[in-house]
Amino acid sequence: MNNPFVQEIVKVVSRKTDLPPQQVEQLLEIPPDEKLGDYAFPCFSLAKKFKKAPDKIAAELASQIKTGNLFSEIKSVGGYINFFVDKVKLAELVLGQILKQDSNYGSDAIGKGKTIPIDYSSPNIAKPFGIGHLRSTVIGHSLKLLFEKLSYSVVGINHLGDWGTQFGKLVVAYKKWGKEILKQDSVTELYNLYTKFHEEAEKNPALEEEARLEFQKLEKGDKENRELWEKFRKISLDEFKRIYKILEIEFEAYAGESFYENMIEQTVQELQEKKLTQISQDALVVNLDQFNLPPCLIKKKDESTLYATRDITAAIYRYKTYNFYKNLYVVGNSQRLHFQQVFTVVKLMGYNWADNCIHVDFGWVKFEEEILSSRKGNIILLEDVLDKSINLAGQIIEEKNPELENKKGVAEEVGIGAVVFAYLARRRNKDFDFVWEEVLNFEGETGPYLQYTHARLCSLQKKYEKKIEDRADFSLLKGKEEISLIKILEDFPRTIQRALDGYEPAVLSNYLVRLASTFNTYYQNIKIITEEEEKTRAKMLLVKSAQVVLKEGLRLLGLKAPEQM
Ligand code: ARG
């Protein structure tokens, strides 16, 4: 990411101090107070080398470095060299670049040739798409878009929960009550079947054993059970795909747990050949005492494999298939132990790429009680939540702008955007409460607020009518908010990088809120389109740039940016 100011500082400072350029860049700070400049270089670590006090070093260096045409002032304060960027130059560079590159602004080739599989969403077959899988879905999707922005090739993998003992339960339930419950082959009916099993098993625990045997039969290839399993899988998958369509999310691969069925034996063999397994309570396990972890279960005593066995196999498969640069799993933090075990076992197998496997974990979302949809047990359906949000957004739009064209389409974009943004606005490890009033508040730190600001930026451009050139007299953009805005826009490429460094879309969400609120303050304080032609032209360049960046930022979070609202 080529910020000419940083480049220049790095070049000069490393020449004067003999520090390697990367180190200068790492040390460089953005001061919290603009009185201390736009960038500051701390000289404390140089004291030893130069055998001088840091403030002396800073003073000497500051007097030796010329301001050139990029900086308006360079001076030392304490042990820092403070660099003041020339604001006209800054505006010219940043706005010029945004208008030239449009939605490509912030893109980078850094990821070219590197592949990153992202395992996300991954719901379980035979259950409806509940709200419980939304956080993984939206974080995974946004990370995918962000990595793609930097030219990584991303493989979105849906690791469906489509294998395991629960299918034994379903088969039992189907054979006993299928006729009365499964009428239209819907996921809801499948779920009822599953619930029925649990109710009955409480009264009659022998059913559990029956289920275990049915799953064993399925794993051994029994034809009838196999067909049933395929039927259940198809019903669920059709439903999931319908939901993904609403969210406009696509996966490169639906390789669920069952996908690894034929490769699992090989994993087990390899583990045994490498002498990593032992028998414990009749089960095959990998002992992980030396890592302070409980043993990783590979095979139960009835020979059936486990969630972990399939994840170990999947990791090996992904490495062979994609030769990944990083391998991500966007899964809740309740599975932290599972992934620690899986990665540790893979490492013990001698695969050093285990270090590039990353559990991108996240906390809980608590929903307002009243939306607990009682009609399907205690699962809150994602679709119900989206529908409610679209409805509420529709009502607000009806109040605010009854004349709006395509009200229905906009309500959809705003309603879905509100939910998605609420899930991306917090750091992923934070638990949070989902509260409707907050989520849809057009004035809060919400999706609708960002979309509304975007629509405002669009309508200004419409009102201006003239074509927005990429040249103007930038010295006319000298107001406090104008400069803040330009600096925020300048920070967009680094924001993307920071979001990816921490696998944290919230970094981008927070950035967009800052961008929008800075613009809105500006908008409240200043009339943008006036009689002063030159000045209006410069301001419109800023408006257009802010709109381009806001729109692209929303896209990277998975939100639409309607032009009117
Ligand atoms: N289906 C699992 C669940 O709902 C998530 C799967 C995550 N991915 C993985 N490779 N284990 O809890």
Side-chain angles (χ1 to χ4, degrees):
M1 255 143 280
N2 48 356
N3 167 336
F5 303 102
V6 172
Q7 268 175 13
E8 180 64 18
I9 296 173
V10 168
K11 196 175 86 194
V12 189
V13 174
S14 87
R15 202 170 56 214
K16 299 257 176 210
T17 59
D18 270 344
L19 290 178
Q22 297 95 307
Q23 200 180 338
V24 175
E25 188 163 352
Q26 264 164 20
L27 286 170
L28 202 61
E29 295 174 17
I30 305 222
D33 180 352
E34 33 193 279
K35 280 192 220 97
L36 298 172
D38 301 288
Y39 298 99
F41 182 80
C43 297
F44 306 98
S45 61
L46 294 170
K48 231 180 168 170
K49 181 169 173 183
F50 289 98
K51 302 203 175 57
K52 256 188 225 167
D55 53 338
K56 287 246 165 58
I57 304 174
E60 272 172 33
L61 287 173
S63 69
Q64 289 168 19
I65 300 172
K66 294 197 185 66
T67 50
N69 66 354
L70 288 176
F71 299 98
S72 58
E73 196 183 0
I74 298 172
K75 64 175 183 191
S76 67
V77 174
Y80 286 92
I81 317 173
N82 294 339
F83 296 83
F84 294 77
V85 160
D86 182 287
K87 300 301 176 303
V88 180
K89 197 78 196 164
L90 178 73
E92 183 186 313
L93 282 167
V94 175
L95 303 185
Q97 203 177 18
I98 296 173
L99 294 169
K100 199 155 74 224
Q101 303 184 337
D102 202 64
S103 63
N104 279 325
Y105 177 62
S107 299
D108 199 289
I110 190 172
K112 254 216 162 74
K114 298 187 182 122
T115 303
I116 303 185
I118 306 185
D119 176 325
Y120 70 106
S121 197
S122 310
N124 300 319
I125 297 282
K127 290 193 191 164
F129 203 121
I131 202 79
H133 283 89
L134 183 59
R135 205 166 187 182
S136 168
T137 307
V138 297
I139 293 176
H141 182 55
S142 176
L143 290 178
K144 182 174 183 219
L145 298 169
L146 284 161
F147 274 114
E148 283 171 347
K149 175 104 180 146
L150 302 192
S151 314
Y152 290 91
S153 72
V154 179
V155 188
I157 301 177
N158 198 320
H159 190 85
L160 293 170
D162 61 0
W163 205 243
T165 24
Q166 71 270 32
F167 290 95
K169 296 178 183 176
L170 263 180
V171 170
V172 172
Y174 182 81
K175 288 181 180 168
K176 291 193 191 308
W177 312 289
K179 286 229 166 57
E180 50 189 279
I181 297 182
L182 217 56
K183 296 215 162 80
Q184 280 148 8
D185 284 357
S186 72
V187 176
T188 315
E189 291 171 352
L190 266 189
Y191 186 59
N192 291 344
L193 208 53
Y194 190 70
T195 321
K196 172 89 174 168
F197 176 90
H198 283 280
E199 281 165 20
E200 296 292 328
E202 254 177 44
K203 292 179 251 162
N204 174 13
L207 285 177
E208 297 280 356
E209 179 59 15
E210 261 184 67
R212 204 181 55 74
L213 290 173
E214 292 290 5
F215 179 61
Q216 209 179 6
K217 268 165 71 187
L218 174 60
E219 267 205 319
K220 296 223 160 91
D222 176 84
K223 192 156 169 284
E224 186 189 6
N225 282 9
R226 188 93 208 172
E227 273 165 16
L228 279 177
W229 171 79
E230 261 157 25
K231 175 184 168 95
F232 301 151
R233 188 177 191 275
K234 179 164 187 324
I235 296 175
S236 303
L237 200 52
D238 287 349
E239 167 76 3
F240 295 161
K241 287 191 174 160
R242 191 177 64 77
I243 306 271
Y244 289 130
K245 210 170 185 167
I246 301 176
L247 292 169
E248 295 190 23
I249 291 181
E250 279 174 30
F251 293 89
E252 277 64 36
Y254 280 91
E257 292 184 48
S258 68
F259 179 79
Y260 303 97
E261 205 197 338
N262 297 327
M263 306 167 215
I264 281 214
E265 233 6 83
Q266 208 191 324
T267 307
V268 177
Q269 261 178 31
E270 195 181 328
L271 282 165
Q272 285 172 323
E273 276 159 20
K274 291 183 173 164
K275 308 228 176 320
L276 295 170
T277 54
Q278 58 187 61
I279 303 288
S280 163
Q281 293 170 4
D282 291 336
L284 193 67
V285 307
V286 177
N287 183 298
L288 300 174
D289 279 353
Q290 52 166 321
F291 303 96
N292 264 331
L293 294 169
C296 182
L297 217 55
I298 302 296
K299 256 188 177 180
K300 288 194 210 161
K301 70 171 177 215
D302 68 0
E303 295 276 294
S304 60
T305 57
L306 291 112
Y307 186 48
T309 329
R310 293 186 279 278
D311 257 326
I312 296 167
T313 310
I316 297 171
Y317 173 83
R318 283 175 203 174
Y319 189 75
K320 282 192 189 140
T321 311
Y322 305 115
N323 186 18
F324 54 68
Y325 167 71
K326 291 235 160 82
N327 180 29
L328 308 187
Y329 299 82
V330 187
V331 186
N333 54 24
S334 61
Q335 295 191 29
R336 200 174 279 163
L337 179 60
H338 165 76
F339 283 106
Q340 278 173 349
Q341 290 177 306
V342 168
F343 300 162
T344 308
V345 170
V346 173
K347 183 89 190 242
L348 280 175
M349 293 172 91
Y351 297 124
N352 279 330
W353 47 256
D355 295 337
N356 298 326
C357 294
I358 294 153
H359 178 200
V360 179
D361 57 359
F362 53 82
W364 284 97
V365 182
K366 223 172 60 225
F367 256 72
E368 282 178 273
E369 292 306 307
E370 62 268 23
I371 68 151
L372 261 170
S373 126
S374 51
R375 65 172 221 265
K376 281 134 204 147
N378 51 5
I379 283 195
I380 301 176
L381 297 188
L382 174 56
E383 197 171 19
D384 288 349
V385 169
L386 295 179
D387 283 348
K388 175 162 177 175
S389 193
I390 292 169
N391 251 320
L392 290 171
Q395 286 167 25
I396 300 174
I397 290 167
E398 194 62 61
E399 256 169 55
K400 278 189 179 278
N401 190 358
E403 307 292 296
L404 181 70
E405 288 167 37
N406 186 21
K407 268 188 276 196
K408 192 164 161 280
V410 176
E412 264 173 39
E413 298 186 349
V414 174
I416 293 175
V419 175
V420 171
F421 188 83
Y423 270 70
L424 292 176
R426 281 93 174 169
R427 299 258 159 181
R428 59 189 161 79
N429 262 303
K430 286 243 159 71
D431 295 340
F432 75 91
D433 295 332
F434 187 100
V435 179
W436 281 108
E437 248 174 60
E438 290 172 14
V439 169
L440 274 155
N441 182 353
F442 277 45
E443 269 112 53
E445 299 185 355
T446 63
Y449 169 72
L450 298 180
Q451 290 170 320
Y452 196 69
T453 307
H454 177 264
R456 175 174 279 162
L457 288 159
C458 287
S459 81
L460 275 166
Q461 293 175 60
K462 245 202 204 133
K463 203 163 132 204
Y464 181 56
E465 281 175 343
K466 280 179 240 165
K467 187 169 178 300
I468 297 171
E469 317 273 347
D470 62 358
R471 306 255 119 235
D473 180 355
F474 293 106
S475 68
L476 297 169
L477 297 175
K478 273 199 300 255
K480 184 167 166 286
E481 273 114 22
E482 286 162 339
I483 290 171
S484 308
L485 258 178
I486 294 166
K487 286 180 76 172
I488 292 174
L489 294 171
E490 192 268 329
D491 201 31
F492 183 61
R494 268 191 309 280
T495 303
I496 294 172
Q497 189 58 62
R498 275 199 299 273
L500 285 176
D501 288 344
Y503 309 106
E504 193 69 273
V507 169
L508 177 59
S509 321
N510 296 341
Y511 167 90
L512 293 180
V513 169
R514 200 150 50 88
L515 169 61
S517 67
T518 308
F519 171 74
N520 284 321
T521 313
Y522 177 53
Y523 181 80
Q524 272 146 28
N525 294 344
I526 261 173
K527 196 159 187 299
I528 293 184
I529 301 173
T530 64
E531 301 289 288
E532 293 173 90
E533 237 175 81
E534 276 304 307
K535 201 158 179 189
T536 305
R537 192 206 307 275
K539 284 186 282 187
M540 285 312 294
L541 248 134
L542 188 54
V543 165
K544 168 98 196 203
S545 300
Q547 182 252 317
V548 166
V549 171
L550 188 48
K551 179 175 177 182
E552 178 61 2
L554 286 168
R555 184 188 72 79
L556 291 168
L557 294 176
L559 272 78
K560 288 283 163 59
E563 290 185 7
Q564 289 182 321
M565 257 172 85

